[in-house]
Amino acid sequence: MKRILLIIAFQSIIFGLWSQNKKVLDFASYDIWNYIERSQISDQGSWIAYELNHYIGDGQLQIKSTTNNKQYSVERGSAAVFSPTDAYVAFKIKVEHDTIRAKKLDKVKKNKMPKDSLGIIVLASGEIYTIERVKSFKLATKESDWMAYQLEKTILPDSVKKKKKKEKVFDKKAPKTTTLVIYNPITNKKIEFEKVTEYRISRNGELITFIQLQNDSLLKSSVRIFDTKTEKTITVLEKEGLAKKITADNSGQMVAFLFSADSTKHKVYDLYYANKKENSAKTIPAGQLDKITPTDWWTSTNGKIYFSRDDSKLYFGVALRPQPVVKDTLLESEKVKVDIWSWTDPLLQPQQLLQAKKEKKRTYLSVFHFKQNKLVALGSEMVPEIRLIDHGNASIAMGSSNL
């Protein structure tokens, strides 16, 4: 009996000492817990990557080989993308969490906040490249080692700003431009292009297309193609006006984009396409769009432009042609605004008001067939939906198409 009491007493002492050293679990503990995010495996299956993050604070990017003991760890690494040949991995390097928090507390403007960097690791050798202030980057999805990235706008010191003359701007609402870099991390080949608004890379990486914009004494767009096989640059359009919404096909042969020569606020855009072998851009056949849509409908800047998987078709969105706003002499406070609703409307008035902005950006899918040189609209459901965007009782003459 004495032995049992002695054992119980001894256990009580040990438990008491352990309880004193035990850390209390509270809500602050959640912030330091690790969780795995964005796990992936490379196309060749020889590498895996995942992010080991905290709910608050900086995380890590882990990259590990499936065939040997090679592994890499990158502080604050995020959004990793393997090259299709498993030759390298590209990723963002986030700014320190504490730095961003301090800047926000100081109410620093968004354009003056520190920006993310681009990190690249050559997996065979372990070489690491870091490029500061990268806005975005893109890789091919098969075959190619070429990639492209666009830099953020350079921030000049105040002392330099005072000495430098302010650049003339023809159109203040035109897209902002920065430097585009086309890069091969394996050969370390790098080509830079200034004043680029947007860019795309084909699925097989053979073609990288981009738009350069001159916006000083006039607004002039240049649509160019960089052929990664020949390492030559081709200009398919150079014209006064604004080009946007550029896209590349899958096989690295064609590009498509919108272009408007209008100098007015409400621009009307034409759909262009170009083959790198022909060195010139064409519009879709004139007059075909009028046959499949009602009057005052045209190519929309809100719709997506993309090629079919076999590159035989080009998809895009159509919508009402933008109408110029008629100027008047009334002040905003003098105008009477009334919302009118009828019981015959398919949507209740509160729902119509909530979806008003979305409806203004609604587009309807159309497709252009390259071989038949034919344009058709898709889906008879377009007819009733048109009435939701205030087009009266307009109807569309529908065509049939094999998608």
Side-chain angles (χ1 to χ4, degrees), residues 84-98:
T85 58
D86 280 13
Y88 65 91
V89 59
F91 50 89
K92 288 197 297 184
I93 303 175
K94 294 181 178 179
V95 183
E96 294 90 341
H97 173 267
D98 292 342

Side-chain angles (χ1 to χ4, degrees), residues 28-45:
S29 302
Y30 300 152
D31 298 339
I32 61 173
W33 285 2
N34 293 329
Y35 66 95
I36 292 177
E37 194 175 18
R38 299 187 185 95
S39 58
Q40 59 177 302
I41 187 166
S42 64
D43 287 350
Q44 306 296 324

Side-chain angles (χ1 to χ4, degrees), residues 90-95 114-120 129-138 147-153 178-181 199:
F91 50 89
K92 288 197 297 184
I93 303 175
K94 294 181 178 179
V95 183
K115 304 297 182 182
D116 295 341
S117 301
L118 170 65
I120 300 171
Y129 302 102
T130 304
I131 302 100
E132 295 183 348
R133 296 183 60 80
V134 172
K135 186 178 181 181
S136 65
F137 68 91
K138 292 182 174 67
M147 64 175 295
Y149 60 87
Q150 190 170 11
L151 300 174
E152 294 277 2
K153 186 177 180 181
T178 59
T179 301
L180 174 70
V181 181
Y199 67 103

Side-chain angles (χ1 to χ4, degrees), residues 4-17:
I4 295 173
L5 292 173
L6 185 61
I7 292 172
I8 292 172
F10 180 73
Q11 288 178 340
S12 299
I13 293 169
I14 296 298
F15 181 76
L17 292 173

Side-chain angles (χ1 to χ4, degrees), residues 129-308:
Y129 302 102
T130 304
I131 302 100
E132 295 183 348
R133 296 183 60 80
V134 172
K135 186 178 181 181
S136 65
F137 68 91
K138 292 182 174 67
L139 278 71
T141 56
K142 62 177 184 178
E143 299 175 12
S144 177
D145 285 329
W146 285 90
M147 64 175 295
Y149 60 87
Q150 190 170 11
L151 300 174
E152 294 277 2
K153 186 177 180 181
T154 305
I155 297 179
L156 300 174
D158 293 336
S159 57
V160 178
K161 282 182 180 179
K162 291 178 181 178
K163 295 179 182 179
K164 191 177 180 180
K165 292 182 179 179
K166 193 173 182 180
E167 294 181 359
K168 292 182 179 180
V169 178
F170 181 80
D171 187 348
K172 293 181 180 180
K173 293 186 178 181
K176 304 299 180 185
T177 63
T178 59
T179 301
L180 174 70
V181 181
I182 297 174
Y183 182 47
N184 188 324
I186 306 305
T187 61
N188 207 20
K189 184 93 176 184
K190 186 184 292 186
I191 305 100
E192 294 187 4
F193 297 93
E194 302 292 331
K195 296 184 177 180
V196 174
T197 58
E198 54 184 287
Y199 67 103
R200 292 293 183 273
I201 183 168
S202 65
R203 186 178 176 82
N204 63 359
E206 289 187 15
L207 178 153
I208 300 174
T209 184
F210 55 94
I211 298 172
Q212 289 179 295
L213 187 65
Q214 180 185 340
N215 189 15
D216 42 26
S217 58
L218 52 83
L219 193 67
K220 185 178 181 181
S221 295
S222 300
V223 180
R224 306 190 192 279
I225 293 173
F226 178 80
D227 190 327
T228 57
K229 282 195 169 182
T230 62
E231 297 185 12
K232 293 182 179 179
T233 305
I234 304 161
T235 301
V236 296
L237 183 133
E238 193 167 26
K239 197 174 179 181
E240 286 189 31
L242 182 61
K244 63 195 306 185
K245 305 283 284 189
I246 195 164
T247 188
D249 70 350
N250 300 289
S251 59
Q253 300 298 316
M254 297 184 69
V255 299
F257 56 93
L258 299 179
F259 177 80
S260 175
D262 293 346
S263 57
T264 58
K265 180 180 177 181
H266 299 277
K267 294 178 172 58
V268 175
Y269 288 85
D270 292 314
L271 178 63
Y272 281 72
Y273 64 94
N275 191 307
K276 70 179 183 181
K277 294 179 181 179
E278 297 176 359
N279 292 9
S280 61
K282 304 175 183 176
T283 60
I284 58 172
Q288 281 205 21
L289 196 61
D290 294 335
K291 295 177 182 178
I292 66 166
T293 61
T295 309
D296 295 331
W297 279 60
W298 205 242
T299 310
S300 174
T301 57
N302 296 315
K304 290 183 179 180
I305 303 173
Y306 57 97
F307 290 84
S308 62

